[in-house]
Amino acid sequence: MAQKRRTKGPGPSQGEDLAADEDFAPTPSASQVQRSLERLSPAQVDQKVSELVQYLLVKDQKKIPIKRADILKNVIKDYRSVYSEIIKRAGRTLQQVFGLQLVEIDPKHHIYILVSNLPRLEVENLKQDDCTAKLGLLTVILSFLFMKGNAAKESAVWEMLRRLRVDPGVRHEVFGDVKKLVTEEFVRQKYLEYNRIPHTDPPEFEFQWGARAAKETSKMQILRFVAKIQNKDPRAWSTQYTEAAAEEAAGGDLFQDISTPGDTGGASQGARRRTR
Amino acid sequence: MATQMTDGHRRFLQVLMSHGIMEGSVARTLHRDCCEIHKVYYAHDKLDDFINVVNIHLQPFFMQIRKGMSEDDGRTYYALVNLAETEITKMASDYTENELELFRKTIFFFLQMDVIIISESGFASSTDILNLADQLKTKKMKKKEAEQVLQNLVQDKWLSERDGEYTLHTRCIMEMEQYILSNYQDLVRKCNICHSLAIQSQVCETCGIGMHLPCAGKYFKAQTEPHCPHCNEFWPHEIPEINRPDSQLPSSAPRERRRTPSSGTRRR
């Protein structure tokens, strides 16, 4: 059972699959960490915390999830014994200064992203450039997926986009290689999941929401978006509304069960229906 | 306590971080909106104080929100800059060592250009830069690769491009000012009016002092016979028109410059 790493929680996390991470020695106990800390000067530890904060900010700028292995290799280095303390403090600093939360989206492989802690606004002051256009495209795809029962075949997504004059086979004036953007960039950034449908030959693929999408928006927000476009009340879609409301009620921690790609777990989010 | 970070400060910082650089009026609007949303004390003329609060908290990370001026239009810009080039920022950087070398050579080229040509250019053609790619120490860069690096540098706002010519982006100048001033002391020109680093400049052909174009525009405004403030010789260049900043947006139509309306201006 995976546990989301909270920045306010105790230093060492329980339930980590250490076998998956050869680089990392057995998790030191809280008292061991404390003893290691005492041997280092506060300035040294502070320096490492600062370096980690800078590293996380720079890495996250490209929206590429950050691996713990890279953090250890590039930043922590000889301070492994107090890694848990360093990352705890870095998380706290990110919240206090930047309003960003360090979220572990994959507790098995220890992968992190930064998410804004600040209340989401209706209209964000976004960069008016290709970034906004890409987010618009992504929102459309996420909406489609949700309305289709949280997953849709690749072919269905392309057909939907074609109707909006965004053709994966044709170079788009704003998005360029649409197929690459959707199946590679959005997937790498964890906005979408692109999984092979088992027992299909030739292999077929389907899209689902990615871990970052689940963190940065919500089913209710997406449903409201769809409702707004179609000029209806969100309750007009009773099934989706119920699902979105349930997600809201569950509140805060949307990551009770983090599934690795392909895993059909995550039952806490309600039944996931698939259309084939 | 007046130095506490509030959500208003944090939102401002997040938005600025995602833009990288922001024009003054946009920053002021953002300041107002952030304070309004999070019910934080707001005074329209206290943006710099607001930013100082953020900067105090950014100190340990060698980051700072800096205020600078665009060499193109003289407008104020705010940018979030990295003050120290530590191993962390280098490794996490989007560019390979080879690409960074090309970039450093390009900076050197801009600085050097001025000494040789004594013009107000500050722009380099893509050919100039591609030639530099040929001279890289570690590994020569093929033309196609160099072109891609150039594109990336423009997209990331290190260089700005207009009509196939390149110059250092305001954001780059703001971020690298310290680096350039310390590493290229002998080559750099500082503006005689505002004393900041000047990449694009007008230069007095007699005594060699230089000025940013917007600074020259302001200094010589409405003077019928502009003279060098240092050696008093005639100022031989067209004085930039600065009254209408929207006519001088970077990377749009070629810069328009009206001649100073006078009978006495002589140009060599």
Side-chain angles (χ1 to χ4, degrees):
Chain A
M1 215 276 296
Q3 194 187 52
K4 186 175 81 165
R5 166 158 258 140
R6 286 212 163 270
T7 51
K8 297 186 191 111
S13 70
Q14 282 77 40
E16 282 191 57
D17 189 347
L18 298 169
D21 201 350
E22 301 146 5
D23 269 21
F24 208 57
T27 320
S29 68
S31 54
Q32 282 177 312
V33 172
Q34 194 54 38
R35 278 199 293 278
S36 303
L37 261 179
E38 281 158 20
R39 268 184 267 135
L40 299 163
S41 78
Q44 286 171 307
V45 180
D46 281 344
Q47 168 75 6
K48 279 296 164 188
V49 174
S50 293
E51 284 177 15
L52 180 55
V53 169
Q54 286 177 64
Y55 183 80
L56 292 171
L57 287 172
V58 177
K59 276 276 175 186
D60 192 70
Q61 243 183 10
K62 287 280 166 173
K63 296 256 187 250
I64 295 177
I66 310 145
K67 298 190 201 132
R68 185 174 75 177
D70 289 338
I71 294 175
L72 289 168
K73 186 171 85 164
N74 297 325
V75 185
I76 307 296
K77 299 191 206 176
D78 297 331
Y79 288 66
R80 276 166 185 233
S81 54
V82 293
Y83 168 74
S84 57
E85 184 62 25
I86 296 175
I87 199 149
K88 185 172 88 178
R89 291 193 202 176
R92 203 161 49 208
T93 305
L94 285 167
Q95 285 199 346
Q96 279 172 356
V97 181
F98 298 88
L100 293 171
Q101 196 177 351
L102 183 61
V103 176
E104 189 173 30
I105 53 168
D106 186 343
K108 186 170 174 205
H109 300 105
H110 306 293
I111 303 180
Y112 300 94
I113 59 169
L114 293 180
V115 177
S116 173
N117 234 358
L118 302 174
R120 291 185 207 114
L121 298 180
E122 268 284 319
V123 179
E124 290 276 1
N125 192 348
L126 290 171
K127 249 200 295 203
Q128 293 299 320
D129 59 11
D130 293 344
C131 250
T132 317
K134 281 182 188 171
L135 283 179
L137 180 66
L138 179 66
T139 307
V140 164
I141 297 174
L142 292 175
S143 308
F144 182 72
L145 294 174
F146 175 49
M147 300 312 275
K148 285 287 180 195
N150 297 305
K153 266 209 281 199
E154 177 176 8
S155 49
V157 174
W158 300 143
E159 183 53 39
M160 180 271 297
L161 288 180
R162 265 186 223 111
R163 275 183 263 132
L164 298 173
R165 316 244 183 103
V166 177
D167 191 331
V170 174
R171 185 159 189 93
H172 191 269
E173 148 182 52
V174 175
F175 304 122
D177 186 338
V178 176
K179 189 157 195 238
K180 191 167 181 200
L181 172 63
V182 177
T183 60
E184 289 181 33
E185 192 173 320
F186 284 162
V187 173
R188 191 176 53 229
Q189 295 173 338
K190 304 280 180 188
Y191 281 116
L192 293 177
E193 275 187 18
Y194 182 58
N195 299 318
R196 182 164 164 183
I197 303 170
H199 314 304
T200 53
D201 190 25
E204 286 177 41
F205 289 81
E206 68 172 9
F207 285 104
Q208 290 173 312
W209 281 33
R212 191 190 289 274
K215 272 282 152 190
E216 290 190 8
T217 186
S218 68
K219 291 177 178 176
M220 190 55 88
Q221 284 202 315
I222 291 291
L223 182 59
R224 287 207 188 104
F225 169 71
V226 174
K228 202 168 177 185
I229 295 182
Q230 300 208 18
N231 208 12
K232 288 188 195 164
D233 188 291
R235 271 169 270 242
W237 295 273
S238 53
T239 324
Q240 281 86 352
Y241 186 82
T242 311
E243 200 182 318
E247 185 192 69
E248 262 189 346
D253 201 346
L254 298 170
F255 270 84
Q256 310 288 355
D257 291 282
I258 301 181
S259 49
T260 49
D263 190 339
T264 55
S268 59
Q269 292 199 16
R272 250 200 252 151
R273 288 165 295 114
R274 288 130 181 273
T275 46
R276 301 258 173 195
Chain B
M1 211 193 349
T3 50
Q4 285 275 25
M5 285 286 284
T6 65
D7 276 354
H9 294 94
R10 292 179 193 112
R11 188 177 291 279
F12 185 90
L13 182 54
Q14 278 186 23
V15 176
L16 181 58
M17 221 165 33
S18 76
H19 284 66
I21 184 168
M22 202 179 256
E23 198 262 320
S25 59
V26 178
R28 281 188 286 279
T29 309
L30 180 61
H31 171 216
R32 185 196 66 208
D33 291 346
C34 289
C35 291
E36 213 169 273
I37 294 166
H38 296 282
K39 317 237 183 316
V40 172
Y41 168 73
Y42 171 69
H44 74 96
D45 55 345
K46 298 279 187 215
L47 174 56
D48 287 349
D49 288 348
F50 185 81
I51 286 175
N52 279 338
V53 172
V54 180
N55 279 338
I56 289 170
H57 289 84
L58 289 178
Q59 254 173 14
F61 317 106
F62 301 102
M63 288 166 69
Q64 195 183 67
I65 299 178
R66 262 221 178 137
K67 191 164 146 182
M69 178 193 79
S70 162
E71 291 193 340
D72 281 321
D73 55 24
R75 287 200 269 197
T76 306
Y77 283 81
Y78 291 89
L80 185 61
V81 302
N82 278 308
L83 295 178
E85 194 180 311
T86 61
E87 243 191 72
I88 302 300
T89 48
K90 261 200 285 187
M91 289 191 73
S93 166
D94 303 312
Y95 298 93
T96 66
E97 189 48 50
N98 211 29
E99 289 168 346
L100 286 175
E101 202 201 325
L102 175 63
F103 182 53
R104 270 185 237 118
K105 270 197 139 62
T106 307
I107 295 180
F108 182 76
F109 180 80
F110 284 123
L111 298 175
Q112 192 184 222
M113 223 163 74
D114 212 20
V115 173
I116 297 169
I117 302 168
I118 310 188
S119 70
E120 52 197 53
S121 180
F123 276 85
S125 70
S126 59
T127 318
D128 294 328
I129 302 180
L130 293 175
N131 286 340
L132 293 175
D134 254 351
Q135 301 162 26
L136 292 176
K137 272 188 287 197
T138 27
K139 198 175 91 174
K140 277 202 194 138
M141 205 183 275
K142 294 202 190 86
K143 181 166 177 229
K144 215 154 192 207
E145 204 188 327
E147 278 172 347
Q148 184 60 51
V149 177
L150 263 186
Q151 247 182 60
N152 293 344
L153 287 170
V154 171
Q155 200 167 56
D156 293 344
K157 298 188 185 155
W158 296 110
L159 294 179
S160 69
E161 184 261 335
R162 182 191 304 168
D163 301 335
E165 293 207 310
Y166 297 86
T167 190
L168 297 185
H169 196 284
T170 307
R171 186 224 179 151
C172 175
I173 297 175
M174 285 172 71
E175 180 131 0
M176 308 217 61
E177 188 166 358
Q178 310 278 55
Y179 172 82
I180 293 174
L181 289 174
S182 35
N183 288 306
Y184 299 103
Q185 272 167 353
D186 302 328
L187 287 176
V188 288
R189 175 165 278 114
K190 278 198 190 173
C191 174
N192 195 258
I193 307 298
C194 71
H195 309 291
S196 297
L197 173 64
I199 304 289
Q200 294 176 51
S201 57
Q202 289 189 350
V203 178
C204 175
E205 287 167 24
T206 311
C207 67
I209 63 132
M211 290 184 201
H212 290 122
L213 275 67
C215 293
K218 267 186 253 169
Y219 183 77
F220 291 123
K221 188 169 165 181
Q223 282 188 36
T224 47
E225 294 191 358
H227 291 264
C228 172
H230 193 250
C231 69
N232 216 38
E233 278 296 316
F234 273 116
W235 193 256
H237 309 280
E238 275 185 76
I239 308 303
E241 172 64 49
I242 51 128
N243 293 334
R244 288 155 52 234
D246 24 0
S247 70
Q248 293 197 18
L249 291 169
S251 51
S252 61
R255 281 178 290 181
E256 301 250 359
R257 263 186 245 137
R258 277 197 357 223
R259 291 169 193 274
T260 45
S262 80
S263 50
T265 312
R266 256 188 281 146
R267 291 199 317 127
R268 292 197 209 147

